[in-house]
């Protein structure tokens, strides 16, 4: 049986904020997984991410990061 997953995460970090995100995808061999992440970072904010994928027929990750001030990482 085919499995289809479409995930979306939207993060907005204010000045001096930080976030760390870990995503682990352990999928069946029939899984089709599409992951989208959008983040907006204001001055001196920090966004860290780590992703690991195991299995799946198709797996795609798309990241769109907007830096709106100095010192963003």
């Amino acid at each position: 049986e085919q499995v289809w997953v479409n995930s979306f995460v939207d993060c907005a970090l204010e000045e001096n904020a930080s976030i760390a995100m870990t995503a682990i995808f352990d999928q069946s061999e029939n899984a089709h997984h599409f992951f989208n992440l959008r983040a907006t970072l204001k001055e001196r904010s920090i966004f860290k991410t780590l992703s690991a994928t195991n299995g799946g027929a198709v797996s795609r990750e798309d990241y769109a990061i907007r830096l709106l001030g100095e010192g963003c990482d």
Side-chain angles (χ1 to χ4, degrees):
E1 179 178 331
Q2 299 290 317
V3 177
W4 295 83
V5 178
N6 188 13
S7 305
F8 180 78
V9 174
D10 189 6
C11 299
L13 278 70
E14 295 295 326
E15 291 183 11
N16 300 307
S18 66
I19 189 171
M21 186 182 89
T22 302
I24 299 173
F25 303 106
D26 190 12
Q27 306 168 24
S28 73
E29 59 187 43
N30 297 324
H32 298 75
H33 185 235
F34 302 92
F35 175 76
N36 296 284
L37 181 134
R38 179 175 62 193
T40 304
L41 283 67
K42 291 187 178 177
E43 216 168 302
R44 295 177 308 279
S45 60
I46 299 171
F47 178 77
K48 294 181 180 183
T49 183
L50 173 66
S51 177
T53 301
N54 180 45
V58 175
S59 183
R60 176 188 167 120
E61 296 183 29
D62 182 52
Y63 294 82
I65 311 295
R66 292 181 58 207
L67 305 177
L68 301 181
E70 293 185 21
C72 299
D73 191 21

